[in-house]
Amino acid sequence: MSRGKKKISADSRVSQHPDIASRTIDDQEVVVVPATRKLQILNEVATRIWELCDGRSVGDITDAIVEEFDVKPSVARRDALELVEDMHERGMVVIE
Amino acid sequence: MTIRAGRQSGFRILLESLAARQETPVAAMLQLTARCNLRCQHCYQVERRKRELTTAQWFSTLDELHDAGVLFLTLSGGEPLLRPDFFDICRRARELRFALQLKTNALLIDRRAADRLASLALLDVQMSLYSTQSKVHDSITGLRGSHRRLMSAARMLVRRNVKVSMMTPIMVVNVGEIDDLVSLADREGFDWSMDPHLNVCEDGGCTPLSLRTSDEQLEEIFSNPKLVDARAVRRLARERRPADRVCNAGRVSCCITAEGEVMPCPLLQVSFGNVLNRPFARIWTSSRKRARIDALTWNDLPGCRDCNLMPWCVRCHGAALIEDGDMKGPSRIACSAAAARRRAVTRKRASRG
């Protein structure tokens, strides 16, 4: 089920969708969206971004990723935005 | 509508790959109670009156399953809604972020229950539909009005955007209705699947046997392109190797009974231990019985490994144990179905040629 494109900026606050089911298996997050009955297996960076989706802003998430991974801030910003948009379209997160 | 029948490989492979990453299963069926408010003619379960786990004990079990990495939970029974704490257990499971499925006969689903179920973000609610005709359905359940109540509950759930998955065990009384059942599910917005295998009762009783379809009827079912993807069946048969594991039960998935016994599945009556005595993860990793069942391949089944039906066989260790007395021996029901499946696919090829 596509949620459609929503304008997401560095100030957008992101939380995990309350309906999702998830489990950490072998250090990777496995996320099930009940509405679509789709299952996603997140890689290491996506798992960390997913963990950071606790109501903080995309900007704060990017800062944390730059801090923890060997990545340029511009690349982290672009990738984090793309991933959050994708997770929103898949019904995994809610945006405020 | 999705029609599911025959062997499903995609999701199963995904679960296998997840389970392979940890030493514990990714899916569990919880039989919250052994009590039921129906007396279905074909049911393999025997109603027990032993002491069921309390709410607190189920909560503790959910915590242990969560910590062990179990993600998918099917809440089942008996009839799980007979428990007064059913929604408390559901809420606790959702707080722990389990992906929940429910198996119910729907008799206790009124508007309020439907609202509460809709709030739980369930993957689906699974119900058994025995016929499009009330008279036939009610004759199986033994309760007049059960068909009307099932359909009413299912419609209430669909209106609340809850996925309803109807399952039809195919029996002599409904084998002629398959197309009608598919149409009904399509019209109503249900998923539909069928099970052509009726098992004997878990205590060895044989009541359901009289309802079993004949070999010819089984062949007709496996020849129905709406139900069975012949190409996929042929591919799976080609890929089957004697060193393949036979079943996922005891590795990818498990069942916990109302009394807390940890078993490979609802049908295979082998207990690995009880959650009241030991934590789930320790039961799972230390049980020798579990390790033996987990490791079973076709090579370990003396009557099956050299059988020419082996590539076509969908075998259940539990059915073999209950009906034929030997978990590793040939299972009559699987043998009949494998022969019918092979004939159906062969017939298709011959008629094409």
Side-chain angles (χ1 to χ4, degrees):
Chain A
M1 180 175 59
S2 171
R3 309 274 152 158
K5 286 272 182 193
K6 176 165 180 167
K7 187 80 178 162
I8 298 173
S9 69
D11 295 329
S12 302
R13 297 195 170 275
V14 193
S15 304
Q16 295 174 6
H17 197 294
D19 284 352
I20 59 95
S22 67
R23 202 62 81 235
T24 308
I25 295 178
D26 195 23
D27 293 332
Q28 287 186 306
E29 201 66 12
V30 179
V31 181
V32 179
V33 181
T36 58
R37 299 204 279 185
K38 294 266 171 66
L39 183 148
Q40 311 290 332
I41 302 175
L42 307 183
N43 67 20
E44 184 190 2
V45 179
T47 293
R48 184 62 187 134
I49 290 176
W50 169 255
E51 289 168 352
L52 293 166
C53 292
D54 56 3
R56 71 183 78 191
S57 71
V58 175
D60 289 344
I61 292 172
T62 306
D63 291 344
I65 293 298
V66 170
E67 190 80 20
E68 295 176 30
F69 293 88
D70 183 19
V71 58
K72 287 181 185 170
S74 59
V75 174
R77 198 174 306 120
R78 186 196 63 209
D79 287 356
L81 259 178
E82 276 180 13
L83 184 69
V84 168
E85 278 174 356
D86 185 58
M87 290 198 294
H88 181 251
E89 280 183 41
R90 291 175 192 272
M92 295 164 63
V93 295
V94 286
I95 307 287
E96 291 169 41
Chain B
M1 182 191 63
T2 306
I3 299 175
R4 288 179 287 130
R7 305 183 218 182
Q8 302 165 55
S9 55
F11 193 63
R12 202 181 80 169
I13 290 167
L14 188 58
L15 291 186
E16 283 175 4
S17 76
L18 290 175
R21 299 177 184 203
Q22 55 184 18
E23 289 185 351
T24 44
V26 289
M29 175 182 283
L30 308 186
Q31 294 180 327
L32 297 181
T33 177
R35 292 170 287 132
C36 190
N37 44 1
L38 285 180
R39 294 287 178 272
C40 297
Q41 286 187 48
H42 66 289
C43 186
Y44 68 90
Q45 287 187 296
V46 176
E47 185 158 340
R48 301 180 297 271
R49 290 285 176 186
K50 290 183 187 169
R51 192 170 169 187
E52 297 174 355
L53 296 191
T54 63
T55 313
Q57 286 164 341
W58 274 121
F59 279 14
S60 165
T61 302
L62 289 173
D63 289 343
E64 291 176 12
L65 291 170
H66 168 273
D67 294 347
V70 173
L71 173 56
F72 294 92
L73 277 191
T74 302
L75 303 180
S76 176
E79 171 48 46
L81 273 86
L82 281 173
R83 281 188 72 115
D85 58 0
F86 169 75
F87 284 103
D88 299 325
I89 292 170
C90 287
R91 269 194 299 276
R92 178 70 180 156
R94 286 297 296 130
E95 283 166 12
L96 293 168
R97 289 198 162 181
F98 284 103
L100 277 190
Q101 294 176 288
L102 168 65
K103 275 181 189 280
T104 175
N105 62 30
L107 284 182
L108 298 174
I109 299 179
D110 54 15
R111 281 184 192 165
R112 183 158 177 264
D115 287 339
R116 295 172 88 180
L117 289 171
S119 73
L120 289 168
L122 300 167
L123 290 183
D124 67 355
V125 175
Q126 301 168 10
M127 304 175 183
S128 293
L129 174 66
Y130 304 117
S131 173
T132 57
Q133 305 166 57
S134 307
K135 197 175 165 186
V136 177
H137 180 97
D138 293 355
S139 73
I140 294 294
T141 63
L143 182 71
R144 208 169 163 182
S146 59
H147 183 267
R148 178 180 47 76
R149 291 164 72 176
L150 176 90
M151 293 300 293
S152 164
R155 286 169 181 150
M156 277 195 282
L157 291 172
V158 168
R159 281 198 295 273
R160 287 161 176 77
N161 291 321
V162 178
K163 179 67 76 183
V164 171
S165 300
M166 288 292 182
M167 204 283 286
T168 302
I170 303 296
M171 310 178 228
V172 288
V173 293
N174 63 15
V175 68
E177 278 194 61
I178 288 176
D179 287 343
D180 293 339
L181 286 159
V182 170
S183 299
L184 172 76
D186 194 23
R187 233 175 18 249
E188 299 281 353
F190 309 147
D191 280 3
W192 183 80
S193 63
M194 59 109 196
D195 185 354
H197 306 116
L198 276 194
N199 289 302
V200 295
C201 296
E202 57 191 12
D203 64 354
C206 291
T207 311
L209 288 181
S210 59
L211 292 167
R212 263 188 197 167
T213 48
S214 67
D215 290 353
E216 291 72 25
Q217 287 168 326
L218 268 180
E219 191 177 331
E220 280 303 309
I221 293 168
F222 293 134
S223 301
N224 186 335
K226 281 185 188 168
L227 305 177
V228 176
D229 179 348
R231 191 180 295 175
V233 171
R234 282 196 292 270
R235 181 173 52 78
L236 286 166
R238 275 197 307 274
E239 291 171 359
R240 171 72 54 80
R241 299 287 178 268
D244 289 345
R245 284 184 165 112
V246 181
C247 176
N248 274 330
R251 178 165 36 105
V252 175
S253 59
C254 69
C255 171
I256 302 180
T257 69
E259 301 86 20
E261 301 294 339
V262 178
M263 310 205 305
C265 76
L267 210 56
L268 185 50
Q269 305 288 305
V270 176
S271 176
F272 302 147
N274 193 300
V275 291
L276 295 179
N277 302 326
R278 277 195 301 169
F280 173 80
R282 203 185 307 161
I283 291 171
W284 197 260
T285 52
S286 66
S287 167
R288 288 182 187 172
K289 285 183 200 166
R290 192 203 66 77
R292 280 198 292 271
I293 290 173
D294 177 1
L296 280 179
T297 69
W298 293 95
N299 271 330
D300 299 310
L301 309 177
C304 301
R305 62 184 165 220
D306 299 321
C307 175
N308 57 15
L309 288 174
M310 189 264 278
W312 310 96
C313 188
V314 181
R315 186 183 188 284
C316 170
H317 299 320
L321 179 63
I322 296 171
E323 187 169 352
D324 302 291
D326 180 3
M327 187 176 82
K328 295 189 195 174
S331 160
R332 267 176 290 173
I333 185 172
C335 298
S336 298
R341 193 175 288 113
R342 186 176 64 173
R343 280 197 308 274
V345 172
T346 308
R347 193 174 69 178
K348 268 194 173 320
R349 278 180 157 172
S351 63
R352 266 213 318 259

